[in-house]
Amino acid sequence: MYIQIQYSYLHTFHFPPPTTASIMSLRCFFTNPHVASKVSRNGIAMLGKAALFPAAASSIAPQQLQPTIISINHQIRYKSMTKTKQRQRAKMIDREKRVAQGLPAKPKPPKYLPKDSPVINAMTRHERDDESKRFDFAAAEGMKTKMTTQSESEENMRFQFDGLVMSDRVRRVFDLTNGSQREVVTSQKRRGMELFQLREGDTGSSAVQVVALTTRIQQLQTHMAKHHKDNSTKRGLDAVYVRRRKVLDYMERKDFESYRKVVKSLGLVR
């Protein structure tokens, strides 16, 4: 006579006929709290008690046994799963639900348009090129007008002494041609920023920032042409390049007309 234990989540186990000594040893084994707590992790202790000790089996209903084993198996199966694997499994379950509902496995983007959808009010390539040329011509004419007005209204004086009444000898002393290289660069930077200002005193708009960064880049490039091994300046120059690129990317997203005007005026290449 053999004792047979069969459960849906476990294999079938066959035990030989129990003797009195084996029953007593198993009773001591399962009643030990330290051993029973360790063995009960895989459900063997509960099955053994139910098979060998009918009194204990009568007190444990089958409905109470099934959730315990399911939860134990679930813990053993997913105990070693990392957070990445858990996210991947959640995505897989979501995709299976979508497929079961007759939907595509992956959802479409918010503003997705199929490739075969007709495009309404689209411009041809020649029309876009003509519009671009007209815009570039208008921007160039506007920039020439600003530069002409600026050259007529301002004088190249040191310390921004433009418009002051002074004698010719004093004027020659304060002429920008007698200034240092730093004063010349500062004057060029100020005059370039005034061409792209949105209002008087504007120093923070995107176009003005690009002009200021371009002036700084030109100054550093002149320095690097003479000092090839200045690695610190080279790192600073690369940082200014990245900074200007970020501002230009922002302008391209938010104000494309100003972006085109600045790129065309300064002769920048992406």
Side-chain angles (χ1 to χ4, degrees), residues 9-10 41-43 66-81 86 89 93:
Y9 288 89
L10 299 176
R41 294 178 183 176
N42 55 10
Q66 184 175 1
T68 305
I69 295 180
I70 292 174
S71 62
I72 291 172
N73 291 340
H74 182 78
Q75 292 177 1
I76 294 174
R77 183 176 179 181
Y78 302 112
K79 183 177 180 181
S80 61
M81 289 183 63
Q86 292 176 5
R89 180 171 177 79
I93 294 174

Side-chain angles (χ1 to χ4, degrees), residues 31-91:
T31 54
N32 190 342
H34 300 285
V35 177
S37 62
K38 296 180 180 180
V39 177
S40 61
R41 294 178 183 176
N42 55 10
I44 297 176
M46 296 190 69
L47 293 175
K49 288 180 179 180
L52 299 177
F53 310 108
S58 61
S59 61
I60 301 175
Q63 293 80 5
Q64 298 178 358
L65 181 62
Q66 184 175 1
T68 305
I69 295 180
I70 292 174
S71 62
I72 291 172
N73 291 340
H74 182 78
Q75 292 177 1
I76 294 174
R77 183 176 179 181
Y78 302 112
K79 183 177 180 181
S80 61
M81 289 183 63
T82 60
K83 293 183 178 179
T84 304
K85 291 184 178 180
Q86 292 176 5
R87 288 194 297 266
Q88 293 176 354
R89 180 171 177 79
K91 289 182 180 179

Side-chain angles (χ1 to χ4, degrees), residues 2 78 88 131 178 182 184 206 229 247 253:
Y2 288 87
Y78 302 112
Q88 293 176 354
E131 184 182 3
N178 297 326
R182 183 175 182 179
V184 173
S206 300
K229 297 184 179 181
V247 178
R253 294 194 310 268

